[in-house]
């Protein structure tokens, strides 16, 4: 459940970044997106979502008795999330799209750590 909670928080975070790249379309068609809901408070909210995700994932690793490589993967993934939060500019749609696409790397980095921890 804590693993799921972390993934849920992470998804809301990166999906909100994605939502900012087409915020104007959401306004024109009446879609109620997190980009519109969070508005100018998006950056601190994404930060909180990502912190919650990393804490939940860390709890999941602790509960599973994960080894060093899994923790290293989580630390590396957390670093990518910090970079995303520092880089996000909700008024730059192209940058939001780039950061959204980059989110996959956060998952890959952590996933590689988990796999390596399991097989080594």
């Amino acid at each position: 459940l804590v693993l799921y909670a972390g993934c849920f928080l992470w998804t809301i975070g990166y999906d909100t970044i994605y939502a900012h790249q087409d915020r104007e379309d959401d306004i024109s068609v009446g879609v109620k997106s997190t980009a519109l809901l969070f508005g100018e408070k998006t950056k601190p909210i994404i930060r909180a979502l990502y912190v919650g995700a990393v804490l939940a994932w860390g709890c999941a690793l602790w509960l599973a008795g994960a080894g060093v490589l899994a923790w290293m993967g989580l630390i590396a993934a957390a670093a990518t999330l910090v970079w995303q939060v520092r880089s996000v500019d909700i008024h730059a749609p192209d940058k939001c799209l780039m950061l959204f696409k980059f989110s996959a790397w956060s998952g890959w980095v952590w996933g590689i750590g988990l796999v390596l921890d399991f097989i080594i």
Side-chain angles (χ1 to χ4, degrees):
L1 289 174
V2 291
L3 177 64
Y4 179 83
C7 292
F8 178 80
L9 295 171
W10 175 47
T11 302
I12 298 298
Y14 72 70
D15 190 61
T16 298
I17 293 171
Y18 178 78
H20 273 285
Q21 62 99 25
D22 61 0
R23 182 179 58 233
E24 299 306 318
D25 293 336
D26 291 352
I27 292 169
S28 67
V29 297
V31 172
K32 303 213 185 304
S33 67
T34 54
L36 299 178
L37 178 65
F38 299 157
E40 293 299 319
K41 295 178 183 172
T42 292
K43 197 167 191 168
I45 290 172
I46 291 171
R47 182 181 303 116
L49 289 166
Y50 283 174
V51 166
V54 171
L55 290 174
W57 291 336
C59 184
L61 290 180
W62 178 74
L63 289 169
V68 172
L69 294 175
W71 286 100
M72 289 174 61
L74 179 58
I75 291 167
T80 69
L81 298 178
V82 168
W83 177 78
Q84 286 179 3
V85 171
R86 288 186 176 176
S87 300
V88 72
D89 177 356
I90 64 171
H91 302 292
D94 290 342
K95 188 158 195 175
C96 289
L97 182 59
M98 183 272 300
L99 289 170
F100 167 75
K101 290 178 180 179
F102 181 80
S103 293
W105 286 103
S106 303
W108 276 107
V109 167
W110 192 49
I112 289 169
L114 289 172
V115 169
L116 290 175
D117 191 65
F118 180 74
I119 63 174
I120 293 179

